[in-house]
Amino acid sequence: MSRVYNFSAGPAVLPEAVLKQAADELLDWQGSGSSVMEMSHRGKEFVSIYEAAEADCRELLAVPDNYKILFLQGGASGQFAAIPLNLANKDATADYLVTGSWGKKAVKEAGKFVANANVVAQPEKFTTVPAQADWKLSDDAAYLHITPNETIEGVEFTDVPNVDVPVVADMSSTILSRPLDIAKYGMIYAGAQKNIGPSGVTIVIVRDDLMGNATDGTPMVWDWAQQAANDSMLNTPPCYGIYMCGLVFKWLKAQGGLSAMAAINERKANKLYDFIDESAFYANPVDKAYRSLMNVPFTLANAELDAQFLSEAKAAGLHTLKGHRSVGGMRASIYNAMPEAGVDALIEFMGAFASQHG
Ligand SMILES: *Cc1c(COP(=O)(O)O)cnc(C)c1O
């Protein structure tokens, strides 16, 4: 068996130790005689898996007691609808800062559920983040939505906006990459398949006082208060995915937690950006202050070499480096589970390719 370095944006690489443990436990979870996939979500075995995942997630992210952690389905895109349904009503205004493709989708979906889904700022090109002084915030917004890491364009910002309304953040591709101050947000959410676990799980972390006012007619599975009252088990949760997320949380704790991960992630990203900046052959278009730790898009000096770059990279064991069709070029997603050796191998390959073709 040989595993490649997988730079996919999502579903993405998982820690090898986690996959091995899951394989070991696949047929018989800890002497239960059943796979986690075959267990009742109400049984004591799965409830113990759920409770450990919740507790480890809470510990890793230092989630305060007045926030609930939910493990839902429907992806981050499901939350694009759930957010206006839970936090606003049909006549309301909701503010959106749009710094990339996912923010654009979020505001479009919100427009189905509120009277005014207002874009406070959107740069012409998604290579920067407009300063807060230049945003057109509404007087009466129910919340402000941001996308701290835009996965497609590789644009990231870490400052939490200083506003009077709850800040809602799509953390799909940045959650767990570094410590967060959860208390600065009203609600954060993330599809698991970037930096947590397999697809099919969506993590929602929401402050208690923001639940219980869902718009009339909100489907029960999208009502955070109903999900919270039932520990995410209003209906059958994504059991196996939650188990996998739990294994990843244990792995992250064993690595030293999120401060340790942040140091590793910064080292990995910095060496790749430094290499790109020093090269005349590769380029990254994002303002240096807003470059993503997790998703590194880059272009070749000659786009006609893109296909050859990708096929030679693949032959060298470096997979899924093609950029998103809307951006072109390449993208290396270097989430928590991408070993530093994978980034080193990518840089070495890029250097050799450039000296052949530069
Ligand atoms: C991938 C992604 C999404 C979409 O996630 P789904 O789980 O497929 O709905 C939304 N936002 C961001 C920032 C993403 O990276």
Side-chain angles (χ1 to χ4, degrees), residues 94-97 120 135 137 141-146 161 163 165-169:
D95 278 351
Y96 282 74
L97 173 66
V120 302
W135 302 353
L137 293 165
Y143 59 87
L144 169 66
H145 181 281
I146 60 174
V163 290
V165 297
V167 175
V168 170

Side-chain angles (χ1 to χ4, degrees), residues 74-78 80 102 147 149-151 170-173 191 193-194:
S77 303
F80 290 172
W102 288 113
T147 312
N149 187 62
E150 281 285 357
T151 319
D170 177 357
M171 295 264 178
S172 292
S173 48
Q193 69 274 17
K194 303 330 186 345

Side-chain angles (χ1 to χ4, degrees), residues 84-89 208-216 218 223 225:
L85 285 170
N86 281 273
L87 296 181
N89 59 50
D208 289 341
D209 62 285
L210 297 176
M211 291 188 281
N213 294 305
T215 304
D216 282 348
T218 298
D223 183 340

Side-chain angles (χ1 to χ4, degrees), residues 8-92:
S8 170
V13 57
L14 287 165
E16 196 167 302
V18 164
L19 294 173
K20 282 192 173 138
Q21 186 179 345
D24 284 347
E25 297 180 338
L26 185 67
L27 297 182
D28 173 10
W29 182 79
Q30 298 191 5
S32 67
S34 289
S35 170
V36 174
M37 277 182 266
E38 303 168 305
M39 290 174 179
S40 165
H41 56 296
R42 314 261 180 221
K44 71 175 187 332
E45 289 94 347
F46 184 75
V47 168
S48 76
I49 289 170
Y50 181 90
E51 285 174 351
E54 199 273 351
D56 288 334
C57 181
R58 190 173 287 278
E59 182 184 331
L60 279 166
L61 284 162
V63 178
D65 288 345
N66 61 326
Y67 285 72
K68 192 82 184 173
I69 303 175
L70 305 175
F71 294 87
L72 306 179
Q73 307 194 50
S77 303
Q79 294 304 312
F80 290 172
I83 288 159
L85 285 170
N86 281 273
L87 296 181
N89 59 50
K90 295 182 177 80
D91 307 319

